[in-house]
Amino acid sequence: MSSPSSRSRDEQHCREVPAKDAANAVHLHDLEAVRRRIHLAELVLDAFTVTQVTSSIQTTVISNEQMTEEVPDEVLDVILASALVIPERTFEAWRLPHTFSGTPRSTVADLLLVSKRWHDIGKPWLYESAIVRTREQMDALAIAVAKDHKNGRKLGWYMRRLRIDSGYADPAFLFLRHTPKIVSLFLGFDISIDDQTQRLMRALRTINPCRLYMDSMKGLSTDIGYRSSSGLLANAVAGALPYWTHLTRMDTSPEFIWLVALVPPLRELKSLSTVSMSNHSAMHRTAHDVIEALIANPSVKTIQIRDGARWLAWKGPRPDYDKSKIYLGEGKRADFPQVDLHPPSFPLPQLPDKLWKLILKHATARSRVAANDHVNATRCAIILVNKHFYGLGLEFLYARPFFVSERAVDGFLVRVTASAPLAALVEDLDLDGLPLTGQKFLCAPLIGLRRVTRALKVFPTLLEYVTDREILLLTFLEQGLSRQDILTQSAFSPFVHLRRLALYGGSGSSTDEPRPDILSNLERLALYDPGPGLVDVFSSLHLSSLREFEFERGSAPLMVDFLTRHGDKLHRLNIDLGSGTYADDVPVFDFCPNATTLHLNTSTPPSAIPFMNQSKPHPCLRLLVFPKVAVQSRSDMPPGIEQWNDFIISLTQMRHKLLALEEIRTLAAFEWPLHQDEYQRAMSCAAHIAYDLHKIGIHLSDAGGTRWARFDPIKREEYQSYQARASASRSRVQTVPLPVINVVAGFGLVPPHA
């Protein structure tokens, strides 16, 4: 079985079903995989039908019902197993923040409703594996596995894989007692204070798995105390480990932390042969003890550090481990290279200039990881090795300069202004994110420029260095202009390759000869605070490739002529709502009948969608995006739940005008509830937002497009009762006696009591 680290965490597309149905409470599936399996079943059925028709030389058409019942039990068993068993990739995938509330629910168990025969053959496969995320699911599962199936066996006899993300409860003891054949156990350690682990140690001792997965996610509390929720679970697992005589492999998630209680048993596990973890798990807090404990266990043959590059780059103190058991990466043995800080000098190889240029381009590539002066110093040092390197590599330093301070920007502008050859090398000028005292200006022959942002003004002075009919390479131009910057259509004639244009300010004039065919490749246009005549400059152009337009809410009356001419081309509208109060009497959406996406630039949910009241029902608008509206973890943080409620009420009232709207997406921070109790206590106001939107047929999604998929109703009046229950649970946990597993000097293990 391959390591779960070899699969992207983004590939976890599980499907969860309601807990009230015991069969549905345990299975989550990848929808595409289910479709492929159903297609396979159809192919098998088709093949069987052809065989039957050929052998009997019948000309009648066999109905679907007859086909399903004429399939031999052996074939039907294979089909149902393929459709009902949870895929290995889904079972092993480490959790993501959206796993609990962003996992769509499955209906694959409905296959068992086809007939009693399908039900009897498929039910064992339905219970081959289970994923539990709520206490209600654990309750339903405990009842289901205790039921008889046939031959005197309980349904729990068929279970081989169990995954508990959260939802630890007392029924787990009854459940595990009826599932003695479990070989793979997945335990989530990011649990709520309401999860019950008091009897879990005894429950875990009733099984004997071969493989154990332990999962924890980034950003949660790393409290490793015995009385924390995770600490109590760790003690329960530690107390069960000596009883798991078949355990051969352990895997931990990238952010997992080895709690202290888990370390001592590792020395004594006689069947354990492989442990796979990340560098974070290996080196965090108690990690030195973990590695030493595993090395001390003679049965352990492989200690895998999946992200080996980080292990090798570790600069902190680390014992000199025995390297015979440590493997780095996905299966390669650690070589632990010895770094010589003073390597001997040797002549450079004789390579063609073309190859050296490729090497230097890679070596001087602008780093987006570390923003400090050392990065630029290293880039400069590379080309200063000799004159040959300097001649070949200078263009790469100036093509995409890397700035870490305003002083560095000023020095660069002085050098480029004074040297036309250096100016011709510049391709990308990105000053976004730098703390500048004001807008910078550059007047130089930037004939190779491809991209420039608003913080550095190069236009329209750049046109002074452009000869007639000369074509510039610019594809991205974002500029802040003054009212004195008067533009005409001919000013854009050199920008044949321009795809995105954003102008903040500026004015326009129609004094020169009309040039309607310019900017034929422009795909996105943004006009903020346009001066007199500027919008008219673009209105009369053809703009055959234009698909996106961005403007301010207050300037909508100035955009009427432009939208009348070009609105039917637009697929996306970006409207900056600003902070003022406007009449919104322009039917903007009537001019853009083909727009499918609307971006509203605002930091809080608006009281209503602007311009919608004056517009007719829109047939195509499917996606509404808030680039700056965050969904925080507490309902009292701005934007609060009240602002969202006002927006949803307004949206409900105008739903008849937005019949195609199916999704609202926020690109800012989106904090998902990680388990059932965060959801119930409304730790994330997203639960209420998503539920209210769901009632009017609209999905809520995060920046990655993951849609909210859990809609358990929660009333806001119940906040206090949930919080009171959580407080009582916290007090209860604090009074629970310490688990029997205790850490003593030398990592000794106190023998567990029965």
Side-chain angles (χ1 to χ4, degrees):
M1 185 178 296
S2 58
S3 168
S5 66
S6 63
R7 302 174 181 86
S8 170
R9 294 173 67 183
D10 291 332
E11 291 178 342
Q12 181 177 354
H13 300 295
C14 302
R15 302 294 185 265
E16 189 172 357
V17 296
K20 62 182 181 181
D21 185 338
N24 289 347
V26 297
H27 283 275
L28 305 91
H29 292 274
D30 185 287
L31 184 57
E32 293 302 323
V34 171
R35 288 174 178 168
R36 291 194 297 268
R37 292 166 186 158
I38 293 176
H39 178 63
L40 174 62
E42 292 173 349
L43 293 178
V44 174
L45 290 173
D46 290 343
F48 179 76
T49 301
V50 172
T51 303
Q52 290 286 72
V53 171
T54 302
S55 61
S56 59
I57 318 178
Q58 296 176 350
T59 58
T60 58
V61 179
I62 301 177
S63 65
N64 290 334
E65 291 79 4
Q66 290 174 326
M67 285 192 297
T68 58
E69 294 307 319
E70 292 182 7
V71 175
D73 288 353
E74 295 80 3
V75 176
L76 185 58
D77 184 74
V78 173
I79 295 172
L80 293 178
S82 179
L84 295 171
V85 172
I86 297 177
E88 182 180 297
R89 173 182 297 176
T90 299
F91 183 85
E92 293 183 346
W94 303 123
R95 285 182 299 167
L96 298 172
H98 61 256
T99 296
F100 181 78
S101 294
T103 302
R105 298 187 174 186
S106 173
T107 58
V108 69
D110 292 346
L111 288 173
L112 302 185
L113 302 178
V114 171
S115 68
K116 185 178 185 302
R117 177 167 168 262
W118 280 49
H119 179 273
D120 292 340
I121 294 176
K123 202 164 188 178
W125 291 116
L126 184 67
Y127 285 88
E128 185 274 343
S129 47
I131 297 180
V132 180
R133 293 198 173 117
T134 67
R135 287 182 293 277
E136 290 77 15
Q137 288 178 346
M138 181 63 76
D139 292 343
L141 190 59
I143 296 173
V145 298
K147 294 180 179 179
D148 292 328
H149 178 55
K150 60 182 179 180
N151 300 328
R153 289 183 176 180
K154 306 289 186 183
L155 280 173
W157 180 270
Y158 300 102
M159 186 162 293
R160 298 296 181 268
R161 295 178 296 159
L162 173 63
R163 170 171 174 157
I164 307 178
D165 285 353
S166 56
Y168 295 91
D170 280 342
F173 178 77
L174 299 175
F175 164 72
L176 291 172
R177 201 172 64 182
H178 291 99
T179 54
K181 298 295 185 180
I182 289 178
V183 295
S184 295
L185 179 63
F186 188 115
L187 298 177
F189 276 72
D190 304 317
I191 62 177
S192 165
I193 58 175
D194 289 349
D195 282 321
Q196 302 170 17
T197 59
Q198 291 90 328
R199 301 175 63 190
L200 187 60
M201 183 188 299
R202 284 191 294 166
L204 291 174
R205 290 175 180 174
T206 62
I207 61 175
N208 198 351
C210 299
R211 188 164 183 177
L212 174 65
Y213 303 85
M214 295 185 290
D215 184 23
S216 180
M217 291 183 349
K218 185 176 181 179
L220 298 179
S221 172
T222 56
D223 178 13
I224 59 175
Y226 286 109
R227 298 193 186 277
S228 68
S229 299
S230 298
L232 292 171
L233 176 58
N235 276 274
V237 175
L241 281 174
Y243 292 81
W244 291 348
T245 57
H246 294 166
L247 185 64
T248 60
R249 174 161 181 158
M250 300 174 68
D251 296 82
T252 65
S253 65
E255 301 297 332
F256 183 81
I257 297 173
W258 287 92
L259 281 76
V260 176
L262 294 171
V263 176
L266 298 179
R267 294 172 175 263
E268 311 297 332
L269 298 178
K270 297 181 179 181
S271 60
L272 183 64
S273 62
T274 302
V275 178
S276 175
M277 68 185 83
S278 67
N279 180 67
H280 176 82
S281 300
M283 303 310 300
H284 192 88
R285 296 189 179 181
T286 61
H288 294 173
D289 307 332
V290 171
I291 302 295
E292 290 176 355
L294 292 173
I295 292 176
N297 187 337
S299 67
V300 174
K301 307 301 181 185
T302 302
I303 304 172
Q304 181 188 25
I305 311 297
R306 297 189 295 266
D307 47 349
R310 294 189 177 184
W311 172 276
L312 293 175
W314 179 266
K315 297 181 179 179
R318 180 164 57 194
D320 186 18
Y321 295 123
D322 178 8
K323 303 176 180 60
S324 61
K325 295 185 177 183
I326 300 179
Y327 291 74
L328 302 185
E330 299 296 334
K332 295 182 180 180
R333 185 181 297 273
D335 52 7
F336 295 93
Q338 298 296 324
V339 179
D340 189 353
L341 299 179
H342 303 285
S345 59
F346 56 88
L348 294 173
Q350 298 297 322
L351 300 176
D353 288 351
K354 184 177 181 179
L355 183 55
W356 273 123
K357 291 186 72 171
L358 290 175
I359 295 173
L360 292 173
K361 181 179 180 180
H362 176 76
T364 59
R366 185 170 61 189
S367 172
R368 297 186 181 274
V369 178
N372 54 62
D373 290 321
H374 298 294
V375 175
N376 245 2
T378 301
R379 298 174 73 219
C380 294
I382 291 173
I383 70 166
L384 293 177
V385 169
N386 54 43
K387 291 183 178 180
H388 189 206
F389 275 23
Y390 182 84
L392 296 177
L394 186 64
E395 62 177 284
F396 302 122
L397 285 187
Y398 279 86
R400 291 174 176 80
F402 178 73
F403 304 110
V404 295
S405 65
E406 186 171 12
R407 179 181 178 183
V409 174
D410 293 336
F412 174 84
L413 297 181
V414 170
R415 290 191 296 273
V416 170
T417 303
S419 173
L422 292 181
L425 299 176
V426 178
E427 296 181 5
D428 190 339
L429 292 173
D430 185 354
L431 305 186
D432 286 348
L434 281 177
L436 303 177
T437 56
Q439 188 181 34
K440 301 296 181 179
F441 301 88
L442 176 59
C443 184
L446 305 170
I447 58 176
L449 188 63
R450 297 175 183 269
R451 183 178 184 275
V452 60
T453 57
R454 179 184 178 185
L456 179 61
K457 183 177 179 181
V458 302
F459 179 78
T461 55
L462 178 61
L463 300 176
E464 299 175 7
Y465 302 95
V466 180
T467 60
D468 292 341
R469 298 186 179 182
E470 184 176 0
I471 296 176
L472 295 178
L473 301 177
L474 264 172
T475 59
F476 181 103
L477 178 62
E478 188 179 78
Q479 292 287 274
L481 307 177
S482 66
R483 287 289 188 268
Q484 288 70 38
D485 293 320
I486 301 176
L487 307 178
T488 62
Q489 291 183 354
S490 60
F492 298 96
S493 58
F495 303 138
V496 174
H497 304 287
L498 193 63
R499 297 184 179 277
R500 176 172 176 177
L501 174 62
L503 299 178
Y504 299 79
S507 303
S509 173
S510 58
T511 56
D512 60 353
E513 182 180 353
R515 303 284 299 277
D517 294 329
I518 63 175
L519 296 178
S520 59
N521 291 314
L522 187 67
E523 298 173 355
R524 179 176 179 181
L525 174 64
L527 297 177
Y528 282 85
D529 190 25
L534 183 61
V535 179
D536 296 335
V537 170
F538 296 95
S539 297
S540 57
L541 298 178
H542 289 169
L543 301 178
S544 57
S545 299
L546 187 66
R547 296 296 180 268
E548 184 176 345
F549 183 53
E550 184 173 349
F551 63 96
E552 293 172 299
R553 182 180 189 177
S555 61
L558 301 176
M559 306 297 173
V560 171
D561 186 49
F562 178 88
L563 292 174
T564 302
R565 294 171 181 260
H566 303 291
D568 58 345
K569 305 172 188 174
L570 301 177
H571 294 172
R572 181 169 127 177
L573 275 177
N574 291 11
I575 303 177
D576 192 309
L577 301 190
S579 57
T581 303
Y582 305 97
D584 289 347
D585 54 356
V586 179
V588 169
F589 298 101
D590 291 350
F591 300 127
C592 311
N594 299 314
T596 59
T597 305
L598 173 63
H599 282 234
L600 295 180
N601 294 326
T602 174
S603 58
T604 59
S607 57
I609 297 179
F611 311 113
M612 186 54 66
N613 286 330
Q614 301 299 323
S615 301
K616 301 176 183 178
H618 199 283
C620 297
L621 193 62
R622 294 184 287 105
L623 176 63
L624 175 60
V625 180
F626 290 122
K628 301 177 182 178
V629 178
V631 179
Q632 302 287 0
S633 61
R634 298 199 309 272
S635 59
D636 59 343
M637 295 183 67
I641 191 68
E642 291 77 14
Q643 292 171 292
W644 274 104
N645 284 339
D646 293 341
F647 169 71
I648 294 174
I649 291 173
S650 172
L651 187 61
T652 303
Q653 295 172 349
M654 63 176 63
R655 190 70 172 100
H656 65 285
K657 290 190 174 184
L658 296 168
L659 295 178
L661 185 63
E662 61 183 31
E663 181 177 340
I664 292 180
R665 182 178 302 172
T666 175
L667 305 184
F670 193 111
E671 299 189 12
W672 295 82
L674 300 177
H675 45 65
Q676 181 181 16
D677 296 293
E678 281 195 4
Y679 185 98
Q680 290 179 342
R681 294 198 307 272
M683 290 295 289
S684 171
C685 62
H688 301 278
I689 300 170
Y691 183 71
D692 291 341
L693 289 174
H694 177 67
K695 290 191 295 185
I696 58 175
I698 299 176
H699 298 276
L700 178 68
S701 65
D702 62 8
T706 302
R707 292 180 173 183
W708 191 281
R710 184 176 292 274
F711 303 106
D712 303 332
I714 299 178
K715 297 180 181 179
R716 279 185 288 170
E717 295 78 16
E718 298 177 1
Y719 280 2
Q720 294 181 351
S721 63
Y722 282 123
Q723 293 171 351
R725 187 186 66 179
S727 177
S729 175
R730 186 182 302 109
S731 301
R732 182 179 68 251
V733 170
Q734 295 296 334
T735 60
V736 173
L738 281 176
V740 296
I741 294 298
N742 296 287
V743 178
V744 297
F747 300 104
L749 181 64
V750 178
H753 300 287

